[in-house]
């Protein structure tokens, strides 16, 4: 509180992914040929579940400062200053830490898993 956040204090860790492609050309008939291919994306994650994971740092400046309650009223109530309002909001300061929270890394699950694709292509 009351300080400037240090430069690069919320950095995401390095990500290293390895992709593999195997392709074989097969003659079919005269000038026609076929190509069979096997693509493995994120090969490192196939070998070890802890490798090839994409972890990102969340935005650290999101911190709730107050709690908000919505109250439905039809007459003059203590928290609502105006008579005849149908709703009003009551703000109360939140107890505990209200400043920036420490950076938290989250896992991007869909991009952190391995994928295999088998392809077949004919060329004439």
């Amino acid at each position: 509180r009351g300080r400037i956040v240090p430069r690069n204090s919320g950095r995401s860790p390095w990500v290293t992914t390895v992709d593999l492609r195997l392709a074989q050309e097969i003659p079919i008939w005269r000038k026609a040929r076929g190509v069979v291919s096997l693509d493995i994306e994120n090969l490192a994650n196939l070998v070890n579940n802890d490798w090839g994971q994409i972890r990102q740092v969340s935005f650290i400046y999101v911190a709730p400062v107050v709690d908000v309650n919505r109250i439905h009223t039809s007459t003059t109530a203590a928290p609502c200053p105006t008579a005849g309002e149908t709703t009003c909001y009551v703000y109360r300061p939140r107890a505990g830490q209200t400043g920036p929270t420490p950076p938290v890394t989250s896992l991007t699950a869909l991009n952190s898993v391995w994928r295999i694709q088998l392809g077949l292509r004919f060329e004439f």
Side-chain angles (χ1 to χ4, degrees):
R1 231 178 199 176
R3 298 184 328 211
I4 296 174
V5 177
R7 183 177 182 180
N8 298 328
S9 62
R11 296 179 65 170
S12 297
W14 284 92
V15 176
T16 304
T17 58
V18 177
D19 299 335
L20 176 68
R21 179 179 177 92
L22 302 172
Q24 178 65 46
E25 186 176 299
I26 302 169
I28 296 176
W29 182 70
R30 292 189 183 179
K31 291 187 178 182
R33 61 184 174 183
V35 178
V36 178
S37 62
L38 177 72
D39 296 315
I40 302 175
E41 295 180 10
N42 204 353
L43 179 66
N45 188 255
L46 178 64
V47 175
N48 185 341
N49 288 337
D50 295 332
W51 296 347
Q53 292 183 346
I54 299 174
R55 295 188 179 274
Q56 295 177 332
V57 174
S58 63
F59 186 66
I60 62 173
Y61 299 108
V62 179
V65 180
V66 295
D67 289 324
V68 180
N69 291 323
R70 182 177 174 185
I71 299 176
H72 297 283
T73 61
S74 58
T75 60
T76 304
C80 299
T82 309
E85 286 185 4
T86 56
T87 61
C88 69
Y89 298 92
V90 178
Y91 299 96
R92 289 191 179 87
R94 178 169 262 198
Q97 181 178 357
T98 58
T101 58
V104 177
T105 58
S106 60
L107 176 67
T108 307
L110 188 59
N111 294 330
S112 297
V113 295
W114 55 272
R115 293 176 289 281
I116 295 179
Q117 176 180 337
L118 180 63
L120 180 61
R121 184 176 72 207
F122 294 105
E123 297 176 355
F124 299 97

